[in-house]
């Protein structure tokens, strides 16, 4: 058994926190990019594209994230890709985030008055211009609160990457716990760190919610 | 080298998958009952007359909502024994799921209670009902009907999140998948099949909740 002081434990955990943060940021950015693509499918004029978007969202919202991550981890090697836990975690969380973000933004698009779309069309804008210049900026603005709320959920979800063997906060905590046998302290500290990451965002989402209660 | 999918192992494993799915449903059923009970009490406490209790419930909600479920589970299962509370994996799983679910539904139930017009309670008391009876027979059913869709979503989210209790070896669906893939060496196929089972379960639970709600709470539920 290795002697760990409280500060050793805390320092190691804080060191691992940057992987949690990095994974959250990567998944959020990836999820936003793929999410916009799914949003386009979901609000497309083509029926098959709308079907595809709806199916995609139903699939990712109707199955456990853990299974999605496992499929990513065991499935990508089948396509001949050698895969690290980091890649599997980023890909898995990206797809998961994209489904939720697409759904949030679609609700935003649908909340806009019909006149916005009609006005854009009557100004002679193409569908793509209409989306880019008129619809999406407004939809993004009114959905800021739920998006920040989802970011909290995403940060919490990165803990599942520990099961794939990615060395983020929780995986590091497991390792420290195996060395120190102080689970109460170690997992308590992990909870505190996650809380400190998430709580400000929760408060920010709440503030935005107050601000954007339909103008 | 091309990988060939092989599902032949599936026929011998149907029993294990079925018992895993049954365990997942049992977990979520217990969680729903306990979680809903706690959230009704919590919502009442949040509107009660004791400021310290209101604050305590508020802190509980924030702490649970801002930490990962997996960390809560590990804290309860691995952490509590070091202060003398040793729990069976099944009990730890249900406790963690219940505490997690209640933190999300306390505010949902509260919003439902606030949405029932005050006149309903007043009318009930005017008819001679005691406050507690008026709450249980008049206010609560109406509040539940209002929040039913949100409650259904929360139950399904919780059911999907319950996959991680496999990490403390509760023999539910995800754990059966782990055991199967270790035995068959067919990880991709196993997780694919189990993911589809989860998809079917969540659709079935949603459908079941809607039917149950229509029967128990009346036409207001869709």
């Amino acid at each position: 058994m290795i002697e760990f002081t409280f500060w050793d434990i805390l320092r190691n955990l804080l060191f691992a926190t940057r992987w949690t943060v990095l994974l959250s940021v990567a998944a959020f950015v990836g999820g936003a990019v793929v999410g916009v693509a799914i949003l386009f499918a979901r609000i497309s004029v083509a029926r098959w594209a709308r079907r595809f978007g709806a199916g995609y969202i139903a699939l990712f919202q109707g199955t456990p994230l853990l299974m999605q991550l496992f499929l990513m981890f065991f499935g990508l090697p089948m396509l001949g890709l050698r895969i690290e836990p980091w890649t599997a975690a980023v890909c898995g969380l990206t797809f998961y985030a994209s489904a939720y973000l697409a759904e949030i933004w679609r609700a935003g698009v649908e909340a806009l008055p019909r006149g916005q779309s009609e006005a854009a069309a009557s100004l002679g804008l193409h569908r793509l211009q209409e989306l880019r210049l008129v619809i999406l900026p407004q939809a993004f603005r009114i959905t800021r609160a739920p998006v920040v709320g989802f970011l909290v959920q995403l940060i919490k979800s990165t803990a599942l990457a520990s099961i794939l063997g990615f060395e983020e906060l929780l995986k590091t905590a497991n390792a420290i716990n195996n060395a120190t046998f102080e689970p109460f302290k170690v997992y308590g500290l992990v909870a505190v760190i996650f809380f400190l990451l998430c709580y400000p965002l929760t408060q920010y989402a709440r503030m935005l919610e107050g601000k954007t209660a339909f103008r | 080298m091309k990988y060939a999918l092989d599902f032949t192992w599936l026929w011998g494993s149907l029993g294990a998958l079925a018992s895993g799915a049954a365990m997942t449903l049992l977990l979520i059923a217990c969680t729903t009952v306990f979680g809903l009970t706690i959230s009704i009490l919590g919502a009442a406490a949040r509107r009660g007359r004791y400021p310290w209790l209101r604050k305590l419930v508020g802190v509980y909600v924030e702490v649970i909502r801002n930490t990962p479920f997996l960390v809560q589970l590990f804290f309860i299962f691995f952490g509590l024994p070091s202060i003398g509370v040793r729990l069976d994996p099944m009990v730890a799983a249900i406790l963690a799921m219940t505490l997690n679910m209640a933190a999300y539904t306390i505010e949902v139930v509260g919003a439902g209670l606030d949405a029932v017009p005050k006149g309903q309670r007043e009318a009930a008391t005017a008819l001679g009902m005691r406050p507690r009876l008026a709450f249980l027979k008049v206010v609560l059913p109406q509040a539940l009907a209002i929040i039913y869709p949100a409650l259904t979503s929360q139950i399904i989210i919780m059911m999907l999140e319950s996959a991680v209790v496999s990490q403390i070896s509760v023999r539910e669906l995800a754990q059966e998948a782990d055991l199967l893939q270790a035995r068959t060496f067919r990880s991709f196929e196993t997780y694919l099949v189990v993911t589809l089972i989860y998809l079917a379960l969540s659709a079935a639970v949603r459908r079941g909740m809607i039917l149950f709600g229509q029967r128990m709470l009346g036409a207001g539920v869709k």
Side-chain angles (χ1 to χ4, degrees):
Chain A
M1 188 166 142
I2 311 162
E3 276 309 315
F4 271 81
T5 66
F6 177 81
W7 293 113
D8 287 333
I9 295 175
L10 185 63
R11 204 191 48 213
N12 279 297
L13 288 179
L14 287 177
F15 215 57
T17 305
R18 73 201 158 117
W19 289 110
T20 292
V21 172
L22 211 57
L23 185 55
S24 307
V25 171
F28 187 69
V29 172
V33 173
V34 180
V36 168
I38 299 300
L39 170 70
F40 279 175
R42 195 76 185 76
I43 60 176
S44 158
V45 282
R47 201 176 140 89
W48 65 267
R50 284 204 306 274
R51 280 257 175 89
F52 169 79
Y56 181 94
I57 291 168
L59 181 66
F60 283 98
Q61 293 193 341
T63 57
L65 175 60
L66 184 62
M67 293 296 118
Q68 297 165 20
L69 289 174
F70 278 159
L71 275 179
M72 209 55 70
F73 195 49
F74 294 110
L76 288 184
M78 273 184 35
L79 305 174
L81 295 166
R82 238 172 58 85
I83 190 159
E84 309 284 323
W86 159 257
T87 322
V90 171
C91 290
L93 286 168
T94 290
F95 288 129
Y96 169 77
S98 68
Y100 278 85
L101 290 173
E103 187 68 356
I104 291 170
W105 286 329
R106 185 193 57 89
V109 168
E110 274 171 16
L112 296 178
R114 275 256 169 274
Q116 293 291 329
S117 182
E118 287 163 6
S122 70
L123 283 172
L125 297 182
H126 294 301
R127 173 78 172 149
L128 216 55
Q129 285 175 316
E130 172 194 323
L131 283 175
R132 189 166 59 85
L133 298 170
V134 180
I135 303 295
L136 292 186
Q138 297 188 76
F140 287 151
R141 186 156 357 107
I142 60 175
T143 52
R144 273 182 311 181
V147 166
V148 175
F150 176 72
L151 182 54
V152 173
Q153 199 181 323
L154 192 60
I155 293 173
K156 292 190 291 174
S157 301
T158 60
L160 294 196
S162 66
I163 303 174
L164 300 184
F166 177 62
E167 289 272 350
E168 44 66 77
L169 190 45
L170 185 55
K171 178 82 161 79
T172 306
N174 291 339
I176 295 176
N177 181 40
N178 289 340
T180 62
F181 303 112
E182 288 190 286
F184 192 80
K185 194 191 280 177
V186 174
Y187 291 122
L189 276 173
V190 171
V192 169
I193 295 175
F194 267 110
F195 184 84
L196 293 178
L197 288 177
C198 294
Y199 187 66
L201 287 169
T202 304
Q203 291 301 98
Y204 181 53
R206 203 160 289 162
M207 195 197 81
L208 287 175
E209 215 168 288
K211 233 185 227 173
T212 42
F214 227 89
R215 292 155 305 134
Chain B
M1 196 176 73
K2 198 151 166 24
Y3 190 98
L5 289 177
D6 177 8
F7 288 100
T8 46
W9 54 272
L10 190 57
W11 303 116
S13 317
L14 286 178
L17 291 174
S19 90
M23 183 58 97
T24 292
L25 289 175
L26 177 68
L27 284 174
I28 192 61
C30 293
T31 302
T32 301
V33 172
F34 297 143
L36 199 56
T37 311
I38 294 181
S39 57
I40 292 168
L41 295 175
R46 206 91 169 94
R47 283 150 190 75
R49 65 188 99 141
Y50 305 109
W52 63 270
L53 194 57
R54 287 204 296 265
K55 193 147 271 174
L56 190 69
V57 174
V59 169
Y60 156 69
V61 169
E62 292 297 343
V63 167
I64 298 286
R65 282 185 165 214
N66 287 295
T67 51
F69 174 60
L70 191 53
V71 174
Q72 295 159 13
L73 185 71
F74 281 1
F75 185 79
I76 288 172
F77 187 67
F78 297 119
L80 290 189
S82 62
I83 56 163
V85 186
R86 199 169 295 276
L87 297 172
D88 180 74
M90 184 75 182
V91 177
I94 292 178
L95 178 63
M97 285 171 69
T98 299
L99 288 178
N100 197 276
M101 174 119 130
Y104 287 90
T105 46
I106 277 177
E107 284 178 15
V108 174
V109 170
L113 291 177
D114 291 344
V116 177
K118 250 201 169 55
Q120 293 290 327
R121 183 190 296 255
E122 290 166 4
T125 33
L127 285 171
M129 282 189 183
R130 297 236 182 83
R132 185 156 305 167
L133 192 65
F135 178 77
L136 284 179
K137 290 279 172 193
V138 178
V139 179
L140 192 58
Q142 296 188 56
L144 286 181
I146 294 169
I147 59 164
Y148 201 75
L151 213 56
T152 304
S153 304
Q154 200 56 51
I155 289 169
I156 288 167
I157 289 172
M158 200 60 238
M159 186 177 85
L160 298 178
E161 241 181 292
S162 79
V164 304
V165 306
S166 59
Q167 295 304 306
I168 59 168
S169 25
V170 176
R171 290 281 294 260
E172 40 68 89
L173 193 47
Q175 170 74 358
E176 292 293 353
D178 279 352
L179 298 176
L180 279 178
Q181 64 95 12
R183 209 177 59 212
T184 61
F185 302 109
R186 287 283 164 191
S187 355
F188 181 72
E189 289 92 327
T190 312
Y191 289 123
L192 185 67
V193 167
V194 169
T195 303
L196 294 177
I197 295 175
Y198 269 111
L199 190 62
L201 277 185
S202 60
V205 168
R206 190 178 294 278
R207 175 56 47 96
M209 285 288 293
I210 291 171
L211 288 176
F212 177 79
Q214 278 167 345
R215 186 147 307 169
M216 300 301 288
L217 297 165
V221 175
K222 61 165 175 54

